[in-house]
Amino acid sequence: MAGLTLRARVVVTGLGPVSSIGIGVTAFRAALREGRSGISPIESFDAEGFPYRDAGEVKDFRPETYLTRLSPAAWGRSAQLAAAAARLAAADAGLPDDACADAGVVIGTTSGESQVVESLVAQQVAGGFAAMDPGTLRQFPAERLAAGVATELGLAGEVLTLATACSASNYAVGYAFDCVARGDADLMFAGGADSVCRWAQAGFHRLGALTESACRPFDKGRAGIITGEGGAVLLLENADHARARGARVYAEVLGYGVNCDARHMVAPDEDSIAACMRLAHQDADVKPDEIDYICAHGTGTPANDLVEARAVRQVFGERIPPVSSIKSMLGHTMGAASGFGAIATTLAIADGFLPPTINWTTQDDELPWIDPVPNVARPATVRIAQNDGFAFGGNNAITVFGAAR
């Protein structure tokens, strides 16, 4: 699709982060610049018995502060995070509710309403199927994440939840981009949401993928991920529509690439990731040497970071831009991860800085070509940037953003 002239230009006009390092674009931007950590002891469930008990929880999230239509008691935490993030994105874009009516929404997730699932299982174990609360059951479907956004903002366009795990937000941004680029919608909300839960903590522990208290992407001593949560939503808008209403533009969505190698349940594949990068560059009609920054998937596990770094080397050759991971600050927010990456990428372009990889101390001899922007944000002119998202099962998705024109 490179160079396709019939495709409308798509811009980002609103950002809605609900994260452990800040809620709202002003707080999130400041935290990225400061290299602030959002990791703290888990409070959302009893973590007694786990060897590692930290996560990136959004502890100051009060849904009633942000939601005007949804009743928090009737919706699960992931839907609340998604709806609050979308509400913030709409406000950031200067878009009143009556201007949202024709907009659509695409939300990505890994676990859906994970806390709801755990509550229902506890009820069933205690008293059988008859003990399961009907109100809690109604909160269970993952489709409620996108439905919550549509209900909160009064959207009448397409409403879709995508469950492609930890790359789901990039899939959502790509899908929403297509909707706007081909003229199906002028406005689309896109991103992801997930909440911290016991079973994800247990699952990653059993995989040997957790680290104790500091996630260290691309560091020689990296040992694993720290789980996290949040809602990350961007407002994608037809460029002519945005111009007509005088909207502020953060960046332009240039294109995206997705593929799935399905070679292994959990292990990433260098060639497949490299192929996804090339697809994204082709779709965005850019060359590797035009890219000024890569917002990495960068989970902090030995295997993921090495494979991602090798794929970058395979595609970019000797000229490799800075590559940082905001998971060092947020933890791994699962389906919201590449949504936060997309927000960080657009802020890097709009505000001229590179978010750092914190907790970094020692260069890894196996990937000396990686500049992780260690520990301190860096001023930079970012004209084009790449946002990586990879997931179990080989679900790869990469988005490309450019400076507003």
Side-chain angles (χ1 to χ4, degrees):
M1 291 190 291
L4 184 63
T5 57
L6 296 180
R7 198 160 73 171
R9 288 176 51 220
V10 181
V11 295
V12 179
T13 55
L15 301 175
V18 180
S19 80
S20 62
I21 63 171
I23 298 176
V25 66
T26 300
F28 188 76
R29 178 196 290 114
L32 289 180
R33 285 187 176 276
E34 293 169 15
R36 188 184 309 160
S37 173
I39 307 306
S40 59
I42 292 170
E43 295 181 0
S44 58
F45 63 87
D46 182 2
E48 186 69 28
F50 285 97
Y52 305 142
R53 304 174 191 175
D54 287 350
E57 293 178 311
V58 191
K59 292 186 174 177
D60 54 353
F61 177 58
R62 303 290 181 269
E64 61 277 5
T65 302
Y66 306 98
L67 304 178
T68 62
R69 292 178 176 173
L70 294 189
S71 168
W75 296 80
R77 183 172 176 85
S78 295
Q80 294 172 18
L81 291 166
R87 172 61 72 188
L88 288 168
D92 183 50
L95 201 67
D97 282 6
D98 58 5
C100 292
D102 294 328
V105 56
V106 191
I107 297 294
T109 189
T110 293
S111 306
E113 289 294 4
S114 52
Q115 294 186 5
V116 172
V117 173
E118 291 182 347
S119 177
L120 289 170
V121 169
Q123 293 169 14
Q124 183 186 358
V125 169
F129 286 105
M132 298 170 77
D133 175 63
T136 307
L137 279 168
R138 281 192 289 271
Q139 297 176 18
F140 165 71
E143 65 192 35
R144 298 264 292 179
L145 274 63
V149 173
T151 302
E152 173 63 23
L153 296 179
L155 310 183
E158 185 163 4
V159 179
L160 178 65
T161 299
L162 297 175
T164 47
C166 301
S167 58
S169 285
N170 262 355
Y171 274 88
V173 170
Y175 188 99
F177 168 78
D178 281 342
C179 288
V180 178
R182 67 179 176 239
D184 294 342
D186 287 328
L187 299 160
M188 290 289 295
F189 292 88
D194 266 305
S195 38
V196 163
C197 62
R198 176 185 294 276
W199 70 260
Q201 191 78 3
F204 282 103
H205 167 62
R206 292 297 298 270
L207 285 170
L210 289 182
T211 193
E212 184 172 1
S213 59
C215 177
R216 305 175 185 276
F218 304 110
D219 187 274
K220 184 175 182 178
R222 65 189 184 277
I225 75 165
I226 289 179
T227 59
E229 67 176 359
V233 172
L234 301 85
L235 178 61
L236 273 55
E237 186 168 355
N238 176 284
D240 292 336
H241 187 275
R243 186 182 303 107
R245 70 180 188 88
R248 180 244 358 260
V249 173
Y250 284 102
E252 182 172 353
V253 188
L254 300 179
Y256 71 99
V258 297
N259 67 3
C260 180
D261 57 74
R263 293 178 184 175
H264 193 280
M265 182 63 75
V266 298
D269 181 83
E270 175 188 337
D271 291 338
S272 177
I273 289 171
C276 190
M277 291 182 188
R278 293 186 181 102
L279 286 171
H281 297 169
Q282 180 183 14
D283 189 56
D285 198 18
V286 301
K287 296 178 175 61
D289 62 9
E290 296 178 289
I291 292 175
D292 300 307
Y293 168 61
I294 298 174
C295 189
H297 187 61
T299 62
T301 64
N304 176 92
D305 293 3
L306 180 60
V307 169
E308 184 173 10
R310 285 176 172 170
V312 167
R313 179 67 177 270
Q314 183 183 141
V315 173
F316 285 79
E318 296 301 318
R319 190 268 177 194
I320 297 173
V323 181
S324 72
S325 173
I326 63 172
K327 289 183 179 67
S328 59
M329 294 178 261
L330 296 168
H332 194 333
T333 56
M334 308 299 158
S338 53
F340 284 121
I343 292 174
T345 301
T346 58
L347 288 173
I349 291 170
D351 294 345
F353 75 100
L354 303 180
T357 303
I358 66 169
N359 306 318
W360 193 93
T361 61
T362 308
Q363 179 73 54
D364 188 337
D365 296 337
E366 290 193 270
L367 38 97
W369 57 87
I370 294 295
D371 167 13
V373 193
N375 301 312
V376 179
R378 183 185 305 164
T381 299
V382 183
R383 294 154 298 185
I384 300 175
Q386 169 181 316
N387 176 43
D388 290 353
F390 314 128
F392 285 172
N395 288 295
N396 306 314
I398 294 172
T399 48
V400 180
F401 298 85
R405 293 180 284 169

